[in-house]
Amino acid sequence: MSPEQFLKFAARQLLLAQEVHCCYEAGPFGYSLHRRLLEMGIQNVVVRPQNWAEASKPTKLMPWHWCNGWIAT
């Protein structure tokens, strides 16, 4: 799906809902899509790409028990 096709899809969602929320993975192409979504009235969050191989290694900075209460069951 091209960015323009996605924006058309997002515009249709605005007609169907009171609020539309999405996230945009930051990448090498800048934040133009993020800015366009905000201009349309869509609540958008930019997220950082993650190296999943590194993320699966537990560290002292992120003990898994901190997630108690935050994980949907």
Side-chain angles (χ1 to χ4, degrees):
M1 178 182 292
S2 73
E4 289 306 317
Q5 290 172 320
F6 178 75
L7 290 169
K8 287 180 183 177
F9 168 79
R12 286 193 305 272
Q13 301 312 301
L14 283 170
L15 298 174
L16 300 172
Q18 292 179 341
E19 292 183 352
V20 176
H21 298 260
C22 66
C23 65
Y24 171 70
E25 185 177 21
F29 302 113
Y31 294 90
S32 59
L33 180 58
H34 168 70
R35 286 190 286 274
R36 299 264 312 266
L37 291 167
L38 293 179
E39 289 169 3
M40 293 171 64
I42 294 174
Q43 301 298 314
N44 188 57
V45 175
V46 178
V47 296
R48 179 178 68 89
Q50 185 169 352
N51 180 338
W52 291 103
E54 289 295 320
S56 65
K57 298 176 186 174
T59 67
K60 290 182 181 179
L61 297 175
M62 292 178 42
W64 298 116
H65 67 270
W66 287 2
C67 295
N68 289 344
W70 290 92
I71 298 174
T73 57

